[in-house]
Amino acid sequence: VVVTSFANNVEVQSEQVESSKKVTKAHHISKDKEKGGKKVNGDHNARSDGKENKKDEKKKHDVHKKEGKSGDIVLGYDSVESYETDKVYFGATVGRVANRIGKAHFKLNGKEYKTVANDGKNTLHGGKKGFGDVVWAVTKHKYDGKKPHIVFTYTSPDGDQGFPGELIVTVTYKLVKDNKLSVVMEAKAKDKATPVNLAHHTYWNLGGHNSGDILSEEIQILGSSYTPVDGELIPTGKISPVKRTPYDFLQPRPIKDNMKDLKTGKIVELVDKKSGRKMELSANQPGLQFYTGGMLKDIKGKNGTVYQAFAGLCLETQSYPDSVNNPKFPSQIVEPGKNYKHNMLFKFSIVS
């Protein structure tokens, strides 16, 4: 498992860029550039049923704490309109390729492809109109019973943001026994090989979305390596050990420890001792992007809450950044007729 970026707003170079200068094994540190401009609420491939994969402002993400009280532990907005103008990817399904593609280009099967640059000269989270900026169709749903679930689909056309081939994408959210949330992202390339790297961009705060910052929460990341990056947060191609570096979260420790040194950030265990809430994340991807929300600033969220820096953290399991330009990294290429599948399981519990 690769360790990823740890955002520290002290390192911020631009008001629109999440800070960090190192990345874990497959994820460069989280200098994720915030999206600019108004979101598009639909395109010719999306159905106008008003359902978006990335969120449902009506749903609450309540988890009990040790005193028996429940709370909403996910940052978000009260209205669809706020999600349309969102610039920080609250709850987004990120794609076609999450994280960065260096110099917004790659070669595949002898052909060079130019993707849409939206992070300086690079492509971030799928381009200017990535999967978090479109309307998804709800194809199945079940709100009661033992396994309530909802299934979203989206068809990305050939040439979408410069990527080759039509891609059919499905994301399934399912509540399973013992306080677990399953998220499964699947994609199928129709007629051309294409890179695929989908990520789930929820901001978590186990103390409650309106409880302040996450710096006192303890995190353990079972990642032994990280991917060093250059000045534009593009991996250099090296994979370095985290041992005896600020990126070592192999043992649980508060996020605030050594904040001045940390620029990156496990498959993960997260604990908020004040509320007693614990979240464990497992997934089948080779890397993890850990972002501590250092670039959040004056964002009006749920119930009038104004989110500031470190109000929530993201744990984005995914493949390595810029893998399409690093042959030594795990491949992101999905061949025609083949399937991509990204499994995540979030387990919630109470600790003393």
Side-chain angles (χ1 to χ4, degrees):
V1 177
V2 178
V3 178
T4 63
S5 72
F6 198 148
N8 179 349
N9 65 355
V10 174
E11 299 290 333
V12 172
Q13 303 290 323
S14 163
E15 291 183 357
Q16 292 187 336
V17 177
E18 298 175 356
S19 75
S20 84
K21 299 206 174 165
K22 302 252 179 178
V23 186
T24 66
K25 191 173 181 179
H27 293 44
H28 61 257
I29 273 183
S30 169
K31 186 178 178 181
D32 287 353
K33 185 173 182 179
E34 298 176 349
K35 297 181 290 184
K38 179 179 173 65
K39 283 186 168 184
V40 178
N41 199 26
D43 67 17
H44 64 281
N45 285 303
R47 295 209 283 245
S48 59
D49 56 6
K51 303 289 186 178
E52 293 191 38
N53 181 314
K54 63 176 288 181
K55 83 283 174 185
D56 177 348
E57 81 284 357
K58 298 294 184 182
K59 292 184 178 179
K60 299 300 180 183
H61 308 79
D62 289 346
V63 176
H64 284 78
K65 60 181 181 179
K66 56 188 176 183
E67 294 86 356
K69 298 180 180 179
S70 64
D72 186 344
I73 61 171
V74 171
L75 275 61
Y77 302 110
D78 284 329
S79 68
V80 171
E81 290 74 21
S82 294
Y83 283 99
E84 291 175 359
T85 56
D86 165 66
K87 296 181 180 181
V88 294
Y89 302 93
F90 272 172
T93 292
V94 179
R96 179 177 303 195
V97 175
N99 226 305
R100 288 174 175 78
I101 295 177
K103 294 182 172 52
H105 82 103
F106 62 91
K107 288 184 178 180
L108 180 58
N109 296 331
K111 183 177 180 179
E112 183 170 354
Y113 292 92
K114 295 282 188 179
T115 52
V116 176
N118 63 325
D119 178 42
K121 297 179 181 179
N122 309 310
T123 297
L124 173 66
H125 289 342
K128 290 183 178 179
K129 187 181 178 184
F131 289 179
D133 298 288
V134 299
V135 176
W136 293 59
V138 174
T139 54
K140 296 180 182 178
H141 61 83
K142 181 181 179 182
Y143 293 146
D144 53 13
K146 293 183 178 180
K147 294 182 179 180
H149 61 272
I150 189 166
V151 181
F152 296 91
T153 61
Y154 175 69
T155 298
S156 175
D158 184 15
D160 188 7
Q161 300 296 291
F163 293 102
E166 183 175 296
L167 188 72
I168 301 170
V169 188
T170 301
V171 181
T172 303
Y173 297 87
K174 181 183 293 184
L175 295 176
V176 295
K177 64 179 182 179
D178 301 326
N179 301 314
K180 296 176 183 177
L181 169 65
S182 168
V183 181
V184 179
M185 297 178 171
E186 300 177 81
K188 185 173 183 178
K190 185 176 180 180
D191 51 10
K192 295 180 183 179
T194 186
V196 180
N197 183 31
L198 306 181
H200 181 63
H201 210 291
T202 283
Y203 285 74
W204 305 94
N205 186 325
L206 296 189
H209 80 99
N210 57 353
S211 65
D213 65 54
I214 45 77
L215 299 179
S216 294
E217 293 185 7
E218 290 190 355
I219 194 165
Q220 181 181 27
I221 299 178
L222 300 177
S224 60
S225 305
Y226 72 101
T227 55
V229 296
D230 63 20
E232 294 184 345
L233 301 181
I234 304 300
T236 63
K238 294 181 179 180
I239 296 175
S240 302
V242 299
K243 194 171 183 179
R244 291 188 289 273
T245 75
Y247 317 124
D248 185 353
F249 284 91
L250 291 171
Q251 299 299 320
R253 61 170 169 161
I255 293 172
K256 64 183 177 182
D257 284 5
N258 301 319
M259 279 295 291
K260 291 183 179 180
D261 298 324
L262 291 170
K263 303 177 181 77
T264 68
K266 179 174 181 187
I267 290 293
V268 185
E269 178 178 300
L270 182 69
V271 175
D272 180 76
K273 289 190 172 180
K274 184 176 180 180
S275 67
R277 297 184 183 119
K278 176 180 177 180
M279 184 178 80
E280 299 167 80
L281 168 60
S282 57
N284 65 347
Q285 295 300 293
L288 171 76
Q289 179 80 26
F290 173 28
Y291 172 50
T292 55
M295 283 306 302
L296 298 177
K297 182 180 180 181
D298 298 331
I299 296 176
K300 187 175 180 180
K302 298 176 183 177
N303 303 316
T305 301
V306 178
Y307 302 128
Q308 302 293 356
F310 310 111
L313 59 86
C314 298
L315 300 168
E316 307 162 54
T317 54
Q318 56 187 269
S319 185
Y320 298 5
D322 200 34
S323 288
V324 290
N325 292 310
N326 277 292
K328 293 182 180 180
F329 287 176
S331 176
Q332 296 177 348
I333 305 304
V334 177
E335 299 291 339
K338 300 296 183 180
N339 295 324
Y340 163 97
K341 192 170 186 178
H342 180 177
N343 297 323
M344 289 160 275
L345 185 65
F346 298 86
K347 180 181 178 181
F348 301 92
S349 60
I350 299 297
V351 297
S352 58

